[in-house]
């Protein structure tokens, strides 16, 4: 069966028989001994050699490894005409495999790195049989094999573009790269991250930030959350070789005396035959190991010095554990019957190798155990550790671990933000008292103002005086503004009921939603409409009193136009104040942050200062400070990190009204807040309106008093004085309620802005009760029907309330004392009602 002879690398000719072909050890320099395999179990590839179709051994990469070991890479000669046999890759330094062994679900290298490599980040949905394959199973394949000039699938589908979509990336900032790549049709181009360095590549959103870096070149975009900085390796004395743990470091004797003394010990506690144990200096009593990591955590827990942690090590299995690692490994027997991995030491002795065995039998060093990173590939180096908080698995079912100290610290570390939401008790409206007032004020305000508006509409056609028409229309406009405020309160109370305890997980979607912005516009416009209309009404009443006995003009088209213009100006000015913060033209002044729900390295609300790290890491140090850039520039720079063919990356702006769950106007601002001048300007305008209302009604009161005293005697004098007293009471109520609502609010807002006090905790009280209370009081002041109705209801309820209070507080006497008391109260009530009726008739 001899097929010829070849001169091999050992210097003599070797006959190639069926038996000697395709052996694990490559013998011929031209690798002809790896072709034309007669044993089908040794075949992995079919290709053309010098134009003839032949089979190729599955051991061809071993020959490549031999050339790499002796640094003869430039001398390597491919067997196949298209060079497919030489397409070997090295996922780890000690593992060389063919590229077609990647991403096939079969681990060939330590820690499954051949399955978790960057090449496997994006795969097609199309299945094919790979050319270099030990079986005829179909697998998905990486997208960077598409149209790369090499036929990777046996049917050549990887070179057929009809099954794939082209994703293009064109930089819109600077002279950066422009390239295209292919993805399978089950992905969208807008969902791909563009790697900033190295070979042009894309990473899908579901695999982005699964590890410390997702792209070649070590992009550090994900590192702030995924690579926490802490001490994982203990101190080892250079002379004594003692390993010092916890507070047993030299020079900390005072700390040791204050807490636990340190005693020498050895690791492992169970002796291993023929080895020296590691000498360690360890606390004498057990510690809380929740804040130790890496080798320190491992040695403390395995030395039984943690009261809240067990040793995470699992037994080794000879011949299986570390199979692709530690080529010169030596196993020895422990006293408990298990085996241990040992290594040579000085003097021909052996010592314990610092190797942790994963459940998948991969091996990692001690300092990678319980270090918040899944180094094993199956999570076994982290899952039993007690020093972390485990975030829920992300898009790719990969686990993320963060330190306990990062939970509830105000910084979002988990991709799904649960490290901050787990301890969150935020509600839209905080406290049962505020919720009750929101419902009460909202319902009363809506009801009262609907009555006032309906009554006003019904009498408009019967009004003949222009002055009375002006007043009536302004009262209706005031009612409209108060109706908006009441509707806002009732709606925000309903939103609180709808979200209930789930608001923490929905707060980001709510704060950036159009519904929240709409409620903010409604509440702001309603408050301003009411305030501006009251200001105009107070000035109008003062003007009419100063005219004296001049008759009012009759209602005509000209007067109607004047009244309509005044109402339209009030409405336009109020809604303009409310809508201006939402206009795109002013987003640099009013947008507070951006929320990217699908980008893992931009978690939560990102303010301008937060973008400094990702922009600097991706593009390098910018020419200008990131905080000086416009929001549009920041969005474009962020968008440029992703493909942009199918539209802009999903994002939401945190607008002016999203500063609080109640979606109110942002009156409380800090000195460095870009919205401070607008907020302070509106507060100043409202203060001016309050001042005008106060001065106008004080003058109205003075003029009415003077007029009442000019009538000296007779029934007319009595009637005028009573009207004057009633007007005085109403004016006093108007001034008092406006003062109680606006002046404390303005003063607190100024104190907050000047940092004299932090009024954040009072925001709910002021926004739910103090400011909106006028929307209920105004109908009582400006409409006698509602005020009389409320007064009658109040008077009818007061006797019942007094009797109830008396019954509760008075002692129960013998005989008929209680009954007699009730009879006396009833007689007194009847007498009071009789007097009131007589007074009314008079």
């Amino acid at each position: 069966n001899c097929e010829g002879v070849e001169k091999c690398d050992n210097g003599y000719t070797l006959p190639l028989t069926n038996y000697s072909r395709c052996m694990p050890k490559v013998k011929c320099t031209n690798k002809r001994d790896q072709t034309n395999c007669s044993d089908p179990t040794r075949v992995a590839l079919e290709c053309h050699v010098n134009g003839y179709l032949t089979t190729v051994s599955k051991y061809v990469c071993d020959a490549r490894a031999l050339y790499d070991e002796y640094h003869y890479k430039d001398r390597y000669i491919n067997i196949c005409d298209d060079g497919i046999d030489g397409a070997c890759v090295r996922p780890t330094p000690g593992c060389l495999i063919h590229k077609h062994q990647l991403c096939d679900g079969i681990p060939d290298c330590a820690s499954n790195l051949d399955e978790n490599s960057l090449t496997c980040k994006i795969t097609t949905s199309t299945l094919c049989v790979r050319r270099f394959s030990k079986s005829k199973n179909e697998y998905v394949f990486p997208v960077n094999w598409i149209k790369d000039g090499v036929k990777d699938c046996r049917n050549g589908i990887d070179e057929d573009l009809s099954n794939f979509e082209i994703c293009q990336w064109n930089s819109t900032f600077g002279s950066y790269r422009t390239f295209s790549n292919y993805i399978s049709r089950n992905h969208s181009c807008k969902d791909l991250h563009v790697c900033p360095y190295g070979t042009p590549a894309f990473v899908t959103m579901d695999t982005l930030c699964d590890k410390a870096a997702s792209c070649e070149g070590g992009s550090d975009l994900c590192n702030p959350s995924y690579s926490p900085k802490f001490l994982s390796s203990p101190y080892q004395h250079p002379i004594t070789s003692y390993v010092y743990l916890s507070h047993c470091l030299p020079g900390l004797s005072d700390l040791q005396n204050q807490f636990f003394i340190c005693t020498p010990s050895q690791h492992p506690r169970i002796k291993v035959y023929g080895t020296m144990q590691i000498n360690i200096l360890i606390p004498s009593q057990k510690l809380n190991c929740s804040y130790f990591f890496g080798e320190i955590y491992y040695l403390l827990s395995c030395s039984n010095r943690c009261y809240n942690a067990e040793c995470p090590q699992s037994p080794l299995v000879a011949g299986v554990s570390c199979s692709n690692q530690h080529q010169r490994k030596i196993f020895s027997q422990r006293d408990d019957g298990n085996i241990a991995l040992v290594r040579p030491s000085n003097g021909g002795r052996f010592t314990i190798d610092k190797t942790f065995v994963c459940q998948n039998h991969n091996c990692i060093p001690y300092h990678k155990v319980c270090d918040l990173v899944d180094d094993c590939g199956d999570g076994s180096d982290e899952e039993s550790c007690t020093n972390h908080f485990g975030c829920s698995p992300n898009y790719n079912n990969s686990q993320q671990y963060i330190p306990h100290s990062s939970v509830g610290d105000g910084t979002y570390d988990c991709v799904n933000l649960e490290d901050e939401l787990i301890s969150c008790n935020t509600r839209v409206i905080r406290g049962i008292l505020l919720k009750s007032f929101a419902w009460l004020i909202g319902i009363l305000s809506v009801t009262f103002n609907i009555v006032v508006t309906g009554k006003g509409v019904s009498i408009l056609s019967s009004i003949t005086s222009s002055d009375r028409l002006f007043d009536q229309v302004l009262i209706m406009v005031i009612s409209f503004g108060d109706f908006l405020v009441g509707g806002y309160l009732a709606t925000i109370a309903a939103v609180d009921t709808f979200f209930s305890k789930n608001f923490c997980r929905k707060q980001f979607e709510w704060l950036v939603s159009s519904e929240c912005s709409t409620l903010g516009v409604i509440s702001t416009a309603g408050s301003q409409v009411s305030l501006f209309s009251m200001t105009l009404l107070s000035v109008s009443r003062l003007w009419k009193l100063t005219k004296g006995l001049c008759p009012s003009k009759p209602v005509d088209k000209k007067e109607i136009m004047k009244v309509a213009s005044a109402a339209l100006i009030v409405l336009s000015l109020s809604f303009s104040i409310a809508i201006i913060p939402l206009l795109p033209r002013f987003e640099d002044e009013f947008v507070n942050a951006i929320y990217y729900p699908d980008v893992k390295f931009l978690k939560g609300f990102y303010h301008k200062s937060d973008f400094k790290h990702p922009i600097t890491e991706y593009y390098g140090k910018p020419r200008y400070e990131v905080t000086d850039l416009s929001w549009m520039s920041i969005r474009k720079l962020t968008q440029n990190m992703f493909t942009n063919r199918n539209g802009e990356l999903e994002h939401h702006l945190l607008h002016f009204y999203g500063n609080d769950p109640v979606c109110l106007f942002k009156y409380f601002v800090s000195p460095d807040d870009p919205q401070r001048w607008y907020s302070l300007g509106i507060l100043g305008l409202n203060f001016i309106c309050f001042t005008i209302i106060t001065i106008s009604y004080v003058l109205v009161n003075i003029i009415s008093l003077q007029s009442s005293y000019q009538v000296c005697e007779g029934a007319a004098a009595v009637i005028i004085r009573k009207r004057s007293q009633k007007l005085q009471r109403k004016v006093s109520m108007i001034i008092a309620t406006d003062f109680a609502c606006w002046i404390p609010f303005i003063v607190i807002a100024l104190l907050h802005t000047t940092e004299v006090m932090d009024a954040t905790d009072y925001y709910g009280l002021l926004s739910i009760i103090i400011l909106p209370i006028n929307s209920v009081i105004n109908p009582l002041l400006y409409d006698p029907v509602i005020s009389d109705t409320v007064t009658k209801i109040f008077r009818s309820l007061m006797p019942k309330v007094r009797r109830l209070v008396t019954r509760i507080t008075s002692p129960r006497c013998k005989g008929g004392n209680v009954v007699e008391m009730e009879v006396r109260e009833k007689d007194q009530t009847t007498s009071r009602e009789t007097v009131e009726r007589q007074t009314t008739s008079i």
Side-chain angles (χ1 to χ4, degrees):
N1 296 324
C2 294
E3 298 177 349
V5 293
E6 295 290 345
K7 186 176 182 180
C8 295
D9 53 4
N10 53 8
Y12 59 90
T13 58
L14 176 70
L16 297 179
T17 64
N18 287 341
Y19 176 79
S20 63
R21 284 185 179 275
C22 306
M23 295 291 287
K25 183 175 178 60
V26 180
K27 297 185 177 296
C28 296
T29 54
N30 57 6
K31 298 175 290 301
R32 289 293 297 275
D33 59 319
Q34 298 299 313
T35 63
N36 198 17
C37 307
S38 58
D39 185 354
T41 61
R42 303 179 186 178
V43 176
L45 175 66
E46 289 184 356
C47 68
H48 286 85
V49 178
N50 297 327
Y52 295 96
L53 184 64
T54 185
T55 57
V56 178
S57 165
K58 62 183 179 182
Y59 303 113
V60 289
C61 286
D62 294 341
R64 182 60 181 264
L66 185 63
Y67 274 75
D68 291 350
E69 183 177 354
Y70 291 100
H71 307 287
Y72 294 153
K73 294 181 181 180
D74 54 336
R75 300 184 187 181
Y76 184 81
I77 302 174
N78 293 320
I79 302 174
C80 300
D81 295 344
D82 58 1
I84 189 64
D85 60 300
C88 301
V89 294
R90 194 181 294 275
T92 63
C95 181
L96 185 70
I97 60 176
H98 197 274
K99 62 179 287 191
H100 291 172
Q101 293 176 267
L102 296 171
C103 324
D104 60 355
I106 302 174
D108 298 287
C109 298
S111 301
N112 294 338
L113 290 181
D114 57 312
E115 302 302 312
N116 299 323
S117 66
L118 292 173
T119 304
C120 302
K121 287 291 184 180
I122 310 180
T123 58
T124 67
S125 58
T126 306
L127 299 174
C128 78
V129 179
R130 302 177 183 183
R131 291 179 61 191
F132 189 96
S133 176
K134 302 174 185 178
S135 66
K136 293 185 179 181
N137 295 333
E138 291 186 331
Y139 302 101
V140 296
F141 53 90
V143 294
N144 59 8
W145 293 0
I146 302 173
K147 202 59 180 178
D148 62 350
V150 178
K151 180 182 175 183
D152 297 290
C153 295
R154 294 186 182 181
N155 58 4
I157 195 175
D158 58 303
E159 299 301 305
D160 183 5
L161 298 183
S162 62
N163 297 289
F164 309 100
E165 181 179 356
I166 300 176
C167 272
Q168 295 180 340
W169 179 77
N170 301 293
S171 173
T172 56
F173 265 78
S175 56
Y176 298 105
R177 302 171 299 167
T178 299
F179 61 86
S180 62
N181 207 338
Y182 303 93
I183 64 169
S184 58
R185 295 197 180 278
N186 63 331
H187 286 102
S188 173
C189 286
K190 67 179 181 180
D191 293 330
L192 299 177
H193 172 61
V194 182
C195 291
Y197 312 117
T199 304
F202 296 136
V203 178
T204 57
M205 290 295 194
D206 58 347
T207 57
L208 181 63
C209 296
D210 277 351
K211 294 294 183 181
S214 297
C215 294
E216 295 180 13
S219 175
D220 200 34
L221 289 171
C222 305
N223 274 1
S225 296
Y226 287 79
S227 294
K229 302 298 185 291
F230 50 76
L231 183 64
S232 61
S233 298
Y235 170 75
Q236 185 171 7
H237 198 281
I239 299 177
T240 63
S241 297
Y242 263 90
V243 175
Y244 293 80
L245 301 178
S246 185
H247 58 269
C248 296
L249 291 169
L252 299 181
S253 56
D254 292 340
L255 188 62
Q256 296 163 18
N257 294 331
Q258 184 177 357
F259 292 98
F260 306 130
I261 61 172
C262 295
T263 58
S265 182
Q266 290 182 322
H267 174 80
R269 291 186 299 160
I270 301 175
K271 293 184 178 181
V272 179
Y273 176 76
T275 65
M276 293 188 305
Q277 294 170 293
I278 302 174
N279 295 320
I280 57 178
L281 202 62
I282 196 169
S284 58
Q285 299 186 31
K286 293 185 177 182
L287 306 172
N288 178 9
C289 293
S290 298
Y291 301 97
F292 295 109
F293 304 91
E295 186 175 352
I296 300 176
Y297 179 95
Y298 180 87
L299 292 176
L300 285 173
S301 61
C302 293
S303 299
N304 197 26
R305 287 299 186 271
C306 298
Y307 63 75
N308 59 342
E310 300 291 336
C311 182
Q313 180 66 283
S314 57
L316 283 82
V317 179
V320 178
S321 300
C322 317
S323 58
N324 292 322
Q325 301 165 279
H326 303 279
Q327 299 300 323
R328 299 179 180 178
K329 55 182 171 288
I330 302 174
F331 291 102
S332 183
Q333 187 173 9
R334 296 171 19 138
D335 286 354
D336 60 359
N338 293 315
I339 61 172
L341 187 66
V342 300
R343 56 182 171 83
S345 183
N346 295 331
R349 299 290 300 276
F350 291 90
T351 186
I352 293 295
D353 189 69
K354 294 183 179 181
T355 300
F356 175 83
V357 182
C358 310
Q359 290 181 4
N360 57 9
H361 302 298
N362 290 326
C363 295
I364 59 174
Y366 284 172
H367 69 270
K368 290 189 176 182
V369 179
C370 301
D371 65 342
L372 310 183
V373 178
D374 179 10
D375 298 286
C376 285
D378 61 355
S380 57
D381 58 318
E382 301 295 325
E383 62 184 12
S384 62
C385 306
T386 60
N387 61 349
H388 63 245
F389 172 80
C391 306
S392 298
N394 57 25
Y395 303 99
N396 201 32
N397 290 324
S398 59
Q399 186 70 55
Q400 180 190 356
Y401 304 97
I402 62 173
H404 289 299
S405 57
S406 296
V407 178
D409 64 348
T411 302
Y412 295 102
D413 298 286
C414 292
V415 172
N416 59 3
L417 315 179
E418 65 179 322
D419 57 308
E420 300 304 312
L421 303 182
I422 193 173
S423 58
C424 170
N425 56 1
T426 303
R427 301 286 291 268
V428 177
I429 302 176
R430 302 172 181 87
I432 188 65
L433 180 63
L434 291 181
K435 295 175 187 178
S436 302
F437 269 101
W439 281 113
L440 178 63
I441 296 175
I443 294 174
L444 289 178
S445 176
V446 169
T447 304
F448 287 173
N449 288 289
I450 286 178
V451 173
V452 172
T453 304
K455 178 188 174 185
V457 172
S458 65
I459 66 174
L460 277 180
S461 60
S462 62
I463 296 176
T464 58
S465 170
S466 61
D467 288 343
R468 189 183 174 193
L469 177 65
F470 188 82
D471 288 354
Q472 185 61 46
V473 170
L474 285 181
I475 289 175
M476 291 173 60
V477 175
I478 292 173
S479 298
F480 174 70
D482 292 339
F483 171 80
L484 292 180
V485 174
Y488 155 78
L489 275 180
T491 305
I492 206 70
V495 169
D496 175 77
T497 304
F498 174 77
F499 283 120
S500 187
K501 296 180 180 180
N502 295 323
F503 178 70
C504 279
R505 296 190 176 276
K506 299 293 184 180
Q507 60 178 316
F508 292 97
E509 289 80 0
W510 167 248
L511 294 176
V512 300
S513 66
S514 58
E515 291 83 1
C516 180
S517 297
T518 301
L519 283 177
V521 170
I522 290 174
S523 65
T524 303
S527 298
Q528 298 303 133
V529 164
S530 179
L531 184 60
F532 291 159
S533 299
M534 286 191 296
T535 304
L536 201 56
L537 183 62
S538 65
V539 174
S540 171
R541 289 181 170 177
L542 177 63
W543 172 254
K544 284 186 292 185
L545 282 178
T546 58
K547 290 194 305 180
L549 299 176
C550 295
S552 174
K553 295 181 180 180
V555 176
D556 54 19
K557 291 185 177 180
K558 185 178 180 180
E559 294 300 321
I560 293 176
M561 289 298 297
K562 288 182 180 179
V563 173
S565 299
L568 186 62
I569 290 173
V570 168
L571 292 173
S572 301
L573 181 59
S574 301
F575 276 94
S576 296
I577 290 174
I579 293 175
I580 282 177
L582 300 179
L583 297 178
R585 170 66 179 80
F586 305 108
E587 70 174 14
D588 286 324
E589 286 75 28
F590 294 106
V591 171
N592 297 295
I594 301 181
Y595 173 52
Y596 287 93
D598 297 329
V599 181
K600 294 183 182 179
F601 58 83
L602 301 177
K603 297 184 290 293
F605 288 129
Y606 252 60
H607 301 79
K608 280 190 176 181
S609 58
D610 299 325
F611 279 96
K612 182 177 181 180
H613 173 79
I615 289 178
T616 303
E617 187 61 35
Y618 194 88
Y619 297 101
K621 187 175 181 180
R623 185 181 305 174
Y624 307 102
E625 287 293 331
V626 174
T627 52
D628 296 334
L629 297 175
S630 66
W631 278 117
M632 180 177 291
S633 299
I634 290 177
R635 288 201 304 273
K636 286 184 177 180
L637 286 170
T638 305
Q639 175 64 50
N640 216 43
M641 301 177 188
F642 301 85
T643 51
N644 48 26
R645 180 184 176 190
N646 288 357
E648 196 172 4
L649 187 69
E650 182 183 357
H651 67 277
H652 305 279
L653 302 179
L654 182 63
H655 278 293
F656 184 70
Y657 295 105
N659 65 94
D660 193 88
V662 294
C663 307
L664 199 66
F665 190 94
K666 191 176 181 180
Y667 290 109
F668 290 0
V669 291
S670 58
D672 57 348
D673 201 318
Q675 299 109 26
R676 64 188 182 281
W677 297 118
Y678 188 78
S679 299
L680 293 177
I682 299 302
L683 280 176
L685 178 62
N686 293 344
F687 179 76
I688 292 174
C689 291
F690 166 75
T691 304
I692 293 174
I693 293 172
T694 303
I695 294 175
S696 298
Y697 279 120
V698 168
L699 293 177
V700 166
N701 199 14
I702 294 174
I703 294 173
S704 64
L705 281 174
Q706 292 175 351
S707 300
S708 66
Y709 286 116
Q710 289 176 0
V711 181
C712 299
E713 57 184 10
V718 175
I719 294 174
I720 291 176
R721 288 192 180 100
K722 285 186 176 180
R723 288 180 177 175
S724 177
Q725 292 172 358
K726 187 176 181 180
L727 178 63
Q728 291 175 31
R729 289 195 297 270
K730 182 174 289 188
V731 168
S732 300
M733 282 294 296
I734 292 173
I735 296 175
T737 54
D738 286 343
F739 181 91
C741 289
W742 280 105
I743 295 303
F745 188 83
I746 293 173
V747 170
I748 291 175
L750 292 176
L751 293 176
H752 180 87
T753 302
T754 55
E755 296 185 330
V756 175
M757 65 176 293
D758 183 5
T760 306
D761 295 337
Y762 304 106
Y763 199 78
L765 174 66
L766 295 171
S767 61
I768 300 297
I769 300 178
I770 303 299
L771 281 184
I773 193 66
N774 256 356
S775 64
V776 176
I777 297 176
N778 286 338
L780 301 177
L781 297 177
Y782 292 102
D783 191 278
V785 175
I786 292 181
S787 61
D788 293 343
T789 302
V790 173
T791 301
K792 289 180 180 179
I793 295 174
F794 181 76
R795 287 179 177 176
S796 65
L797 292 176
M798 282 306 297
K800 298 179 181 179
V801 173
R802 282 197 294 267
R803 285 198 299 270
L804 180 62
V805 172
T806 302
R807 181 174 297 179
I808 294 174
T809 57
S810 300
R812 292 186 174 273
C813 302
K814 295 181 179 181
N817 289 346
V818 174
V819 176
E820 293 174 0
M821 190 180 301
E822 292 179 353
V823 171
R824 286 197 300 270
E825 289 177 356
K826 186 174 183 180
D827 293 340
Q828 292 173 1
T829 302
T830 304
S831 301
R832 283 195 297 271
E833 292 176 351
T834 303
V835 172
E836 288 176 357
R837 282 197 299 270
Q838 293 174 354
T839 304
T840 302
S841 62
I842 292 172

